[in-house]
Amino acid sequence: MSLAQGRPYLAIPGPSTMPDRVLAAMHRPAPNIYEGEIEEIAARVASNLRRVALSSSHVAIYIANGHGAWEASIANVFSRGDKALGLVTGRFGNIWALSCAAMGVEVERLDFGLKAPADPARVEAALRADPRHEIKAVLLTHVDTATSVRNDVAAVRAAIDAAGHPALLMVDCIASLGCDEFRMDDWGADVMVAASQKGLMTPPGLGFVWFSDRALEANRKADLVTPYWNWQPRAFPELVYQYFGGTSPTHHLFGLDEALKMILEEEGLEHVWTRHATLARAVWAAFETWGKEGDIALNIADPAHRAHSVTAARIGAGGAQRLRGWLETQAGVTLGIGLGMAEPGTPEAGDFLRVAHMGHVNAHMTLGALATMEAGMQALAIPHGQGGLAAAAAAVARGAGQA
Ligand SMILES: *Cc1c(COP(=O)(O)O)cnc(C)c1O
């Protein structure tokens, strides 16, 4: 008998769970889009987006998803024939590099495989091999959502500086902003992209690009930029329609305004990071224990390089696919598919899954997802070590406060 009735839990890495308060904030008539309340909300959202990125620089808001934000970032920085250095640690870094190439930028790729972060020493060497400083920017994915690797942004910045190279550092924080610690100013990112539907707990549909004054200089020469994607009117609007290149995404703004208030004013950004870190440790503890007796392993071996928002893992002999199916039909939990870990359609593709612990998640949601996974492994006779849930509970107990 299926036990899936009840509130479903979509534990995939985006769209993440949206707070009821965010949904409720959107449940209202559209405001006047020319003046009044909308101006205040747009200005407050832009200012809070800078706060959540710990950025004193500029931000442009697009009606787009992450792919749109990627293209916006490329269009504003590059001219046709420019060079970029793309650091690839999984599928998302790869697609950003491919978008760049498709737009006429020559991309040199450094591929670090599917199980490791970008190595700053290789970045430094690649930049030293460019004495004429033709590489205009380095593209880095903070958390690659496919592999769940977390890259060290500050270390890559240090590598660029050590090479004495003027390249801009562009960072994709779509899967990490509002989950993992990220400090745009302190870590020296020139451009950062994110989207609404992951750590920011808002429906898919808004993409964001933050940019420094140095990136703004590059923008003045970029010939790829078109009027709609140009970040300047959006970041420095004189009239409210310029924020959005036309009609405001009114309801997304209501939702995002509420979500940013929850993150910044109520829970606090550092607490948000700590909550994600604790829940991530619970997931890792369960998998490590299950893996003692089963063909089960986390994708990233070193905890220091693991994302706090999503965990990619392998359960051999197609176990990942069978477990995902069981969770969805029997327990009301949807886990993420493996992405880019094996050729689609091959038997190995059924060995990978991802568990999201991103955004509006708390201990009972993550422990509940893990408990249903253990139930599914029992039901499907997937071999696994005993005590995974106790280990996860202990990680939560260590991370939780006192009553
Ligand atoms: C989700 C994601 C994207 C793509 O975002 P879409 O909104 O699906 O276009 C890009 N990069 C990373 C790291 C992501 O997690």
Side-chain angles (χ1 to χ4, degrees):
M1 191 194 78
S2 168
L3 300 171
Q5 299 312 312
R7 177 169 270 219
Y9 178 21
L10 184 64
I12 67 173
S16 65
T17 300
M18 291 172 273
D20 290 343
R21 277 176 56 188
V22 166
L23 296 173
M26 301 174 73
H27 195 80
R28 49 160 293 184
N32 182 353
I33 58 163
Y34 297 104
E35 59 184 15
E37 184 189 12
I38 193 74
E39 289 184 79
E40 263 164 59
I41 294 182
R44 182 165 63 237
V45 162
S47 145
N48 283 341
L49 284 170
R50 287 194 297 272
R51 285 174 65 197
V52 86
L54 295 174
S55 157
S56 58
S57 55
H58 320 290
V59 66
I61 306 174
Y62 296 91
I63 299 174
N65 58 18
H67 282 68
W70 271 339
E71 289 205 17
S73 69
I74 297 163
N76 276 285
V77 167
F78 295 103
S79 296
R80 255 168 222 84
D82 276 352
K83 286 193 182 156
L85 184 64
L87 312 184
V88 180
T89 56
R91 187 184 171 106
F92 288 89
N94 192 29
I95 307 179
W96 199 13
L98 290 174
S99 314
C100 235
M103 290 170 75
V105 177
E106 199 180 307
V107 185
E108 177 185 339
R109 292 155 40 105
L110 291 184
D111 198 326
F112 300 91
L114 298 174
K115 290 179 169 290
D119 173 2
R122 277 180 67 194
V123 177
E124 184 180 336
L127 293 173
R128 284 188 187 280
D130 175 37
R132 304 223 312 269
H133 295 167
E134 289 178 352
I135 294 170
K136 200 157 191 184
V138 176
L139 274 52
L140 175 68
T141 309
H142 185 205
V143 162
D144 197 300
T145 327
T147 55
S148 72
V149 76
R150 180 161 47 102
N151 284 299
D152 186 339
V153 177
V156 171
R157 170 85 260 168
I160 299 171
D161 294 346
H165 199 291
L168 299 171
L169 176 58
M170 299 173 63
V171 187
D172 171 349
C173 289
I174 296 175
S176 56
L177 191 71
C179 307
D180 271 282
E181 178 176 0
F182 176 78
R183 301 177 180 275
M184 181 155 177
D185 286 358
D186 290 355
W187 293 357
D190 294 291
V191 173
M192 191 271 277
V193 299
S196 51
Q197 79 274 22
K198 299 194 182 180
L200 299 182
M201 315 186 295
T202 302
L206 293 181
F208 315 106
V209 181
W210 291 250
F211 54 97
S212 66
D213 287 327
R214 281 188 68 217
L216 180 58
E217 273 312 303
N219 167 266
R220 297 192 204 284
K221 290 172 229 142
D223 77 10
L224 284 178
V225 73
T226 53
Y228 183 79
W229 294 103
N230 195 344
W231 64 30
Q232 288 199 46
R234 291 168 189 266
F236 315 112
E238 280 164 18
L239 295 167
V240 73
Y241 84 90
Q242 292 176 314
Y243 273 110
F244 309 106
T247 302
S248 313
T250 49
H251 290 72
H252 275 80
L253 290 175
F254 293 137
L256 182 60
D257 190 31
E258 188 73 13
L260 288 167
K261 182 169 154 201
M262 290 172 74
I263 292 172
L264 295 166
E265 314 295 342
E266 295 174 16
E267 185 173 359
L269 189 56
E270 303 225 343
H271 193 284
V272 168
W273 295 338
T274 311
R275 170 168 53 85
H276 280 85
T278 299
L279 297 179
R281 278 194 283 273
V283 174
W284 306 341
F287 271 96
E288 281 162 354
T289 311
W290 292 333
K292 285 184 184 154
E293 284 167 51
D295 183 10
I296 298 175
L298 291 168
N299 188 48
I300 303 298
D302 183 345
H305 299 145
R306 292 180 195 150
H308 292 169
S309 52
V310 57
T311 297
R314 180 177 175 284
I315 305 180
Q321 188 170 348
R322 282 183 292 132
L323 186 61
R324 279 199 312 101
W326 190 93
L327 256 75
E328 189 154 74
T329 59
Q330 306 303 312
V333 177
T334 302
L335 301 179
I337 57 169
L339 260 191
M341 302 300 294
E343 279 299 309
T346 59
E348 293 73 41
D351 293 354
F352 298 94
L353 57 70
R354 293 171 302 155
V355 184
H357 28 96
M358 168 188 279
H360 191 56
V361 283
N362 57 24
H364 92 70
M365 294 163 78
T366 296
L367 289 175
L370 294 170
T372 50
M373 288 177 72
E374 192 164 301
M377 288 191 259
Q378 287 180 20
L380 297 168
I382 294 173
H384 59 280
Q386 299 303 302
L389 294 181
V396 166
R398 276 194 303 275
Q402 300 300 314

